[in-house]
Amino acid sequence: MMDEISKGMNWLTWTFFYRRLAKNPNYYGMAKATNDALNDKLSEVVETTVKDLAESGCCAIDEQGALMALNLGLIASYYNVQYSTIDIFGSSLKGTSTTKRGIVTVLCG
């Protein structure tokens, strides 16, 4: 999992979030914008996000710690749906028929 976390942290350093984190650390609950503090915050964000995605059924972590996208994660990514929304959708599908009629019933309420 360490490799996946370092990839996530590296990707975040190219985002607007990282620039804002460095410019306004107090807003994000940091005392100073030192390299160690920025790395700790990025690590926390990535670890929390991976945990949330795994709990919502969007990804799984294998024995070696690699991330694998699951069906709900692929659907959320394709349709640009938040993981919390796809978690509710996935929970709604449990215990219902996965026929077209069952899925339409879940979607339409």
Side-chain angles (χ1 to χ4, degrees):
M1 174 107 151
M2 187 54 92
D3 185 46
E4 300 290 338
I5 290 174
S6 65
K7 286 180 184 177
M9 288 175 56
N10 185 38
W11 183 83
L12 280 175
T13 62
W14 294 96
T15 63
F16 183 69
F17 170 69
Y18 182 77
R19 303 294 174 228
R20 293 303 315 140
L21 190 62
K23 292 287 185 187
N24 192 3
N26 289 333
Y27 182 80
Y28 297 98
M30 298 170 45
K32 295 182 180 179
T34 63
N35 284 337
D36 288 339
L38 289 171
N39 285 335
D40 290 345
K41 185 64 173 180
L42 291 180
S43 179
E44 175 189 331
V45 167
V46 171
E47 289 174 3
T48 303
T49 302
V50 167
K51 180 179 156 271
D52 290 347
L53 289 170
E55 288 175 357
S56 67
C58 291
C59 72
I61 305 167
D62 69 8
E63 298 81 31
Q64 289 80 30
L67 292 175
M68 299 176 302
L70 299 177
N71 288 339
L72 289 177
L74 295 172
I75 293 168
S77 175
Y78 184 82
Y79 291 105
N80 197 25
V81 176
Q82 290 184 8
Y83 73 89
S84 55
T85 302
I86 205 72
D87 183 31
I88 294 168
F89 177 72
S91 298
S92 298
L93 284 177
K94 292 177 183 169
T96 63
S97 172
T98 55
T99 62
K100 288 181 185 177
R101 183 182 190 97
I103 291 173
V104 169
T105 301
V106 168
L107 291 174
C108 296

Short mmCIF file of all heavy atoms in Angstrom, two decimals, residues 23-24 33 39 43 50-51 55 58 70 73 82 96:
data_model
loop_
_atom_site.label_atom_id
_atom_site.label_comp_id
_atom_site.label_asym_id
_atom_site.label_seq_id
_atom_site.Cartn_x
_atom_site.Cartn_y
_atom_site.Cartn_z
N LYS A 23 0.00 27.57 0.63
CA LYS A 23 -0.20 29.02 0.82
C LYS A 23 -1.03 29.35 2.05
O LYS A 23 -0.86 30.42 2.63
CB LYS A 23 -0.92 29.60 -0.41
CG LYS A 23 -0.07 29.59 -1.66
CD LYS A 23 1.00 30.63 -1.59
CE LYS A 23 1.75 30.68 -2.90
NZ LYS A 23 2.89 31.54 -2.84
N ASN A 24 -1.94 28.47 2.45
CA ASN A 24 -2.84 28.75 3.55
C ASN A 24 -2.97 27.52 4.46
O ASN A 24 -4.03 26.90 4.54
CB ASN A 24 -4.21 29.17 3.01
CG ASN A 24 -5.10 29.76 4.08
OD1 ASN A 24 -4.71 29.92 5.23
ND2 ASN A 24 -6.33 30.07 3.70
N ALA A 33 3.63 25.43 6.93
CA ALA A 33 3.69 24.75 5.63
C ALA A 33 5.10 24.22 5.37
O ALA A 33 5.67 24.43 4.32
CB ALA A 33 3.24 25.67 4.52
N ASN A 39 3.85 16.85 3.70
CA ASN A 39 3.86 15.41 3.43
C ASN A 39 2.93 14.65 4.37
O ASN A 39 2.23 13.73 3.95
CB ASN A 39 5.28 14.85 3.52
CG ASN A 39 6.11 15.20 2.32
OD1 ASN A 39 5.59 15.46 1.24
ND2 ASN A 39 7.41 15.23 2.50
N SER A 43 -0.31 12.60 3.10
CA SER A 43 -0.41 11.19 3.47
C SER A 43 -1.74 10.91 4.17
O SER A 43 -2.42 9.92 3.88
CB SER A 43 0.75 10.79 4.37
OG SER A 43 0.65 9.45 4.74
N VAL A 50 -8.49 6.56 0.57
CA VAL A 50 -8.44 5.14 0.20
C VAL A 50 -9.33 4.33 1.14
O VAL A 50 -10.08 3.45 0.71
CB VAL A 50 -6.99 4.62 0.20
CG1 VAL A 50 -6.94 3.11 0.12
CG2 VAL A 50 -6.22 5.24 -0.95
N LYS A 51 -9.27 4.63 2.43
CA LYS A 51 -10.11 3.93 3.41
C LYS A 51 -11.59 4.16 3.10
O LYS A 51 -12.39 3.21 3.09
CB LYS A 51 -9.78 4.42 4.82
CG LYS A 51 -10.57 3.78 5.91
CD LYS A 51 -10.13 4.34 7.27
CE LYS A 51 -11.20 4.21 8.29
NZ LYS A 51 -12.14 5.29 8.38
N GLU A 55 -14.32 1.30 1.98
CA GLU A 55 -15.53 1.08 2.77
C GLU A 55 -16.80 1.24 1.93
O GLU A 55 -17.80 0.61 2.20
CB GLU A 55 -15.57 2.03 3.97
CG GLU A 55 -14.58 1.67 5.05
CD GLU A 55 -14.55 2.68 6.18
OE1 GLU A 55 -15.27 3.71 6.11
OE2 GLU A 55 -13.79 2.45 7.14
N CYS A 58 -15.90 0.95 -3.60
CA CYS A 58 -15.37 1.46 -4.87
C CYS A 58 -14.03 0.85 -5.23
O CYS A 58 -13.66 0.81 -6.40
CB CYS A 58 -15.25 2.98 -4.83
SG CYS A 58 -16.85 3.81 -4.81
N LEU A 70 -13.21 -1.59 -8.15
CA LEU A 70 -14.34 -2.51 -8.18
C LEU A 70 -15.42 -1.92 -9.08
O LEU A 70 -15.33 -0.78 -9.53
CB LEU A 70 -14.88 -2.73 -6.77
CG LEU A 70 -13.89 -3.35 -5.78
CD1 LEU A 70 -14.51 -3.46 -4.40
CD2 LEU A 70 -13.42 -4.72 -6.26
N GLY A 73 -16.80 1.44 -8.16
CA GLY A 73 -15.80 2.49 -8.40
C GLY A 73 -15.70 2.85 -9.86
O GLY A 73 -15.56 4.02 -10.21
N GLN A 82 -20.04 10.94 -6.94
CA GLN A 82 -19.29 10.90 -5.69
C GLN A 82 -19.37 9.50 -5.08
O GLN A 82 -20.39 8.81 -5.21
CB GLN A 82 -19.84 11.90 -4.69
CG GLN A 82 -19.57 13.33 -5.07
CD GLN A 82 -20.05 14.30 -3.99
OE1 GLN A 82 -20.43 13.90 -2.90
NE2 GLN A 82 -20.00 15.57 -4.31
N THR A 96 -32.06 -6.67 -3.40
CA THR A 96 -33.05 -6.49 -4.45
C THR A 96 -32.66 -7.32 -5.66
O THR A 96 -31.53 -7.77 -5.79
CB THR A 96 -33.17 -5.01 -4.90
OG1 THR A 96 -31.92 -4.60 -5.45
CG2 THR A 96 -33.55 -4.12 -3.75
#
